[in-house]
């Protein structure tokens, strides 16, 4: 039947269109949900079309894998906490890289049995895809372990970068010999070295840089999938891989820029470990909920700055309730979002959208920063590093140069956090010691609930 291959190709084309249009829709929170669905439908079409490919073997095994994979993904996706999302992304991304590497392994061992490959290009791409996919697999697993607190410390030893470079060169060398000779022991050695590279290069990277590293491995996974797609002559894999590779590369660059880090310094430098930050003078000054409520009730403009602590406390619903109460009193309220607030890009936007906050109240860093000097009260909820003025004032600070929200310029600042805990970068925050800053200690959700209650009693709630 000659129409079947044509139908498969047409389905792949439709899937590719859905991937690209889906990603386009993800660029705005208004259309993001439907974007995810479009890309999902594309993936379904591509998967179904693959079953129609002529000459497919091992159908029961393939079906068992699909059912098992779907069940595990459904179960884990449903129960994962929003704050654990980066870990899940790391694991799933690693599995993508592992799948690409597995395709490379199967094909290389098959060529080795046959004693010949379809072409030199196919062979080179199979090896390149396997190398990148293996690095993405083991690197992502280490990143997951670090993010999940299972591997705490950065693992360093003298001469580490030189040793890592040697192992990398060994992997590349064995890859070249694989292309030249297709000897099974060489192929196995190549995979061992490639898998080791992923582990070794991720071990010394600090926890604060992990999300950037995961995004980088995500881009590598895309590239590996595209290469192996060429090996299998599967258009859907090539296009999906290229889309993931390009999107992952852009995301990596954006995140690194928002943290004022270069990709090279993430991979080969250190963060949060060097630099003797200056001592901060003064003391943190506590305040009662009643005083904060009165301050906000009579304010003209309030800016709410959410951070990782709001996600931990799941305070977004209460925050929106407070916002509505303030708006009802005629207060102008806006939300200020830093590009790396929380633990993944868009973390705060997702939470606020979940609580029902309208998009026109949410402002990006560059848009809101000029408005802080005319803001009466900035309410910081569980944000720390992204509002730390030392990023601008202390060249010896490890976060020096990172763009921040200029909260310290507002007339009054209220900070809600549980105690004296530091943020991701593990450093003191000069904002908390400023003359016009007051600390409202407590869990994010409970503290905001307290503010809502107090607001009701400010001149009878009107
Ligand atoms: P942060 O600097 O990690 O600070 C979070 C603060 O929330 C802590 O100081 C903590 O203080 C407080 N907190 C924790 N649980 C709380 C609760 N239940 N209620 C109230 N407060 C709570 O957060 P951020 O300002 O959002 O900054 C994000 C950091 O992550 C940056 O360093 C950024 O570079 C890094 N990062 C983010 C991304 C990303 O994609 N978003 C990627 C890479 C790195 P207490 O313990 O005293 O409560």
């Amino acid at each position: 039947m000659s129409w079947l291959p044509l139908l498969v190709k047409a389905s792949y084309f439709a899937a590719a269109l859905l991937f690209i249009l889906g990603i386009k829709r993800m660029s705005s929170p208004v259309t993001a949900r439907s974007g995810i669905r479009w890309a999902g439908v594309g993936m379904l079409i591509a998967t179904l079309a693959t079953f129609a490919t002529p000459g497919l073997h091992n159908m029961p095994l393939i079906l068992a894998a699909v059912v098992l994979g779907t069940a595990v993904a459904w179960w884990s996706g449903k129960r994962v906490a929003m704050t654990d999302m980066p870990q899940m992304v790391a694991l799933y991304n690693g599995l993508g890289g592992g799948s690409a590497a597995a395709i490379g392994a199967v094909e290389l061992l098959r060529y080795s049995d046959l004693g010949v490959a379809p072409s030199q290009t196919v062979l080179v791409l199979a090896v390149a895809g396997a190398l990148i996919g293996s690095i993405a697999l083991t690197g992502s697993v280490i990143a997951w372990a670090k993010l999940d607190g299972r591997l705490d410390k950065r693992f360093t030893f003298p001469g580490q970068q030189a040793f890592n470079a040697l192992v990398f060169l060994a992997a590349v060398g064995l890859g070249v010999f694989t292309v030249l000779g297709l000897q099974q022991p060489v192929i196995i050695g190549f995979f061992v070295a490639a898998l080791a590279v992923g582990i070794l290069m991720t071990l010394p990277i600090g926890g604060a840089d992990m999300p950037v590293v995961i995004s980088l491995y995500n881009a590598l996974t895309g590239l590996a999938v595209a290469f192996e797609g060429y090996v299998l002559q599967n258009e859907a894999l090539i296009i999906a891989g290229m889309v993931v590779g390009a999107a992952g590369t852009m995301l990596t660059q954006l995140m690194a820029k928002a943290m004022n880090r270069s990709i090279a310094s993430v991979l080969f430098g250190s963060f949060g470990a060097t630099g003797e930050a200056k001592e901060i003078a003064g003391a943190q000054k506590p305040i009662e909920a009643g005083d904060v409520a009165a301050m906000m009730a009579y304010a003209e403009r309030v800016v709410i700055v959410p951070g990782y602590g709001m996600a931990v406390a799941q305070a977004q619903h209460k925050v929106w309730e407070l916002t509505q109460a303030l708006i009802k009193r005629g207060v102008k309220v806006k939300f200020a979002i830093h590009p790396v607030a929380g633990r993944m890009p868009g973390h705060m936007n997702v939470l606020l959208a979940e609580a029902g906050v309208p998009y026109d109240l949410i402002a990006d860093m560059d848009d809101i920063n000029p408005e802080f000097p005319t803001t009466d009260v900035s309410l910081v909820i569980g944000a720390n590093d992204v509002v730390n003025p030392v990023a601008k004032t202390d060249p010896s600070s490890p976060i020096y140069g990172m763009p921040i929200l200029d909260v310290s310029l507002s007339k009054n600042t209220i900070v809600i956090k549980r105690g004296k805990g530091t943020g991701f970068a593990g450093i003191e925050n000069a904002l908390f010691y400023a003359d016009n800053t007051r600390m409202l200690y407590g869990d994010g959700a409970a503290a905001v609930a307290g503010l809502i209650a107090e607001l009701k009693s400010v001149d009878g709630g009107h």
Side-chain angles (χ1 to χ4, degrees), residues 154-399:
R154 292 184 337 133
F155 177 85
T156 49
F157 55 85
Q160 189 168 27
Q161 299 298 358
F163 179 74
N164 289 359
L166 273 181
V167 179
F168 179 70
L169 284 179
V172 172
L174 286 163
V176 171
F177 282 114
T178 298
V179 171
L180 295 177
L182 280 174
Q183 301 290 324
Q184 278 205 11
V186 178
I187 296 175
I188 292 168
F190 159 69
F191 273 99
V192 171
L195 291 167
V197 172
I199 297 175
L200 289 170
M201 69 185 269
T202 320
L203 276 178
I205 301 174
D209 280 332
M210 265 324 129
V212 183
V213 173
I214 288 170
S215 175
L216 183 69
Y217 286 149
N218 185 30
L220 290 182
T221 290
L223 202 61
V225 166
F227 285 173
E228 300 303 344
Y230 186 89
V231 171
L232 295 180
Q233 291 296 299
N234 182 312
E235 291 83 355
L237 277 186
I238 298 176
I239 297 170
M242 294 312 277
V243 169
V244 172
T249 306
M250 279 190 247
L251 182 60
T252 310
Q253 280 174 338
L254 281 175
M255 284 168 77
K257 196 167 153 243
M259 297 171 75
N260 196 38
R261 311 266 293 139
S262 71
I263 309 284
S265 71
V266 167
L267 290 178
F268 309 115
S270 55
F271 182 58
T274 55
E276 283 291 310
K278 276 189 205 145
E279 284 265 322
I280 298 168
Q284 298 188 7
K285 296 164 278 293
I287 191 169
E288 296 297 323
D291 297 334
V292 178
M295 214 169 169
M296 291 203 300
Y298 296 112
E300 203 176 311
R301 291 165 39 80
V302 168
V303 173
I304 299 179
V305 183
Y308 177 64
M310 184 186 82
V312 176
Q314 285 294 297
Q316 62 273 20
H317 296 280
K318 287 277 165 230
V319 169
W320 175 223
E321 212 180 308
L322 173 70
T323 308
Q324 286 170 298
L326 287 171
I327 291 175
K328 228 166 123 191
R329 293 188 63 104
V331 182
K332 292 195 189 81
V333 187
K334 275 193 187 173
F335 288 83
I337 308 291
H338 190 282
V340 294
R343 290 294 180 267
M344 61 183 171
H347 200 167
M348 296 301 120
N349 302 70
V350 171
L351 293 178
L352 295 178
E354 181 200 316
V357 177
Y359 303 119
D360 57 353
L361 295 189
I362 300 175
D364 287 334
M365 181 171 64
D366 293 339
D367 295 329
I368 198 86
N369 264 348
E371 296 186 18
F372 279 112
T374 53
T375 297
D376 302 303
V377 183
S378 285
L379 182 67
V380 176
I381 301 178
N384 192 337
D385 297 340
V386 300
V387 294
N388 194 342
V390 302
K392 283 192 168 167
T393 56
D394 181 3
S396 59
S397 166
I399 65 163

